């Protein structure tokens, strides 16, 4: 069964850190670009950080640049998102998605592309609150 499973979400205080994981099963993730997306209550989904299959190409949105870092370990079939200096505005459900056609930047920026990404995870909740 082809699937992505996110983990690592939770409750953290402002200024804190979390590390999210996106593990693939049923397919080899190294052939896919992978993106992290988030959706806060009452808001549209937005692309956060995306990474190429090799890991050499990355994209971060302006909202998270300098605070979030995307990386991957293809030997473990897993992509990570390190969240540092968290703010209450980062509270959202975080999803990962993989695709073998969309480029790193387009999958993060263009919402019409996001709706057609090949595989999506079920999401993990990140809550930033004191």
């Amino acid at each position: 069964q082809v699937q992505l499973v996110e983990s690592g979400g939770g409750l953290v205080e402002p200024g804190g850190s979390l590390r999210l994981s996106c593990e693939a099963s049923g397919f080899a993730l190294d052939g896919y670009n992978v993106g992290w997306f988030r959706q806060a209550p009452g808001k549209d989904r937005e692309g956060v950080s995306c990474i190429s299959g090799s890991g050499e190409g990355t994209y971060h949105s302006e909202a998270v640049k300098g605070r979030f870092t995307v990386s991957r370990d293809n030997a473990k079939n897993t992509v990570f998102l390190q969240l540092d200096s968290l703010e209450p505005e980062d509270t959202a459900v975080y999803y990962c998605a993989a695709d073998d056609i969309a480029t790193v930047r387009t999958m993060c920026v263009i919402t019409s592309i996001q709706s057609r990404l090949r595989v999506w995870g079920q999401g993990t909740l990140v809550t930033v609150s004191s």
Side-chain angles (χ1 to χ4, degrees):
Q1 183 180 2
V2 173
Q3 62 177 356
L4 295 172
V5 178
E6 301 95 334
S7 61
L11 173 64
V12 62
E13 293 185 347
S17 297
L18 285 173
R19 189 191 196 203
L20 307 184
S21 298
C22 169
E23 183 174 6
S25 60
F27 70 108
L29 198 57
D30 60 355
Y32 291 75
N33 296 334
V34 175
W36 284 96
F37 307 85
R38 67 185 181 186
Q39 187 163 21
K43 294 188 177 181
D44 293 334
R45 182 181 60 209
E46 62 174 330
V48 174
S49 301
C50 296
I51 187 167
S52 64
S54 67
E56 293 181 356
T58 61
Y59 175 90
H60 295 279
S61 71
E62 288 299 319
V64 307
K65 193 174 293 183
R67 300 188 299 119
F68 291 7
T69 305
V70 61
S71 63
R72 64 192 299 157
D73 184 341
N74 285 336
K76 295 181 178 180
N77 231 22
T78 302
V79 172
F80 305 98
L81 185 65
Q82 178 69 37
L83 291 68
D84 296 319
S85 302
L86 282 161
E87 303 168 352
E89 293 75 22
D90 295 316
T91 295
V93 177
Y94 284 71
Y95 302 88
C96 64
D99 196 81
D100 56 353
I101 295 177
T103 65
V104 169
R105 187 176 185 280
T106 57
M107 73 188 307
C108 249
V109 173
I110 302 177
T111 54
S112 61
I113 296 292
Q114 292 168 12
S115 64
R116 299 198 298 267
L117 298 179
R118 191 174 297 271
V119 186
W120 281 88
Q122 84 292 345
T124 185
L125 176 63
V126 172
T127 303
V128 184
S129 175
S130 55

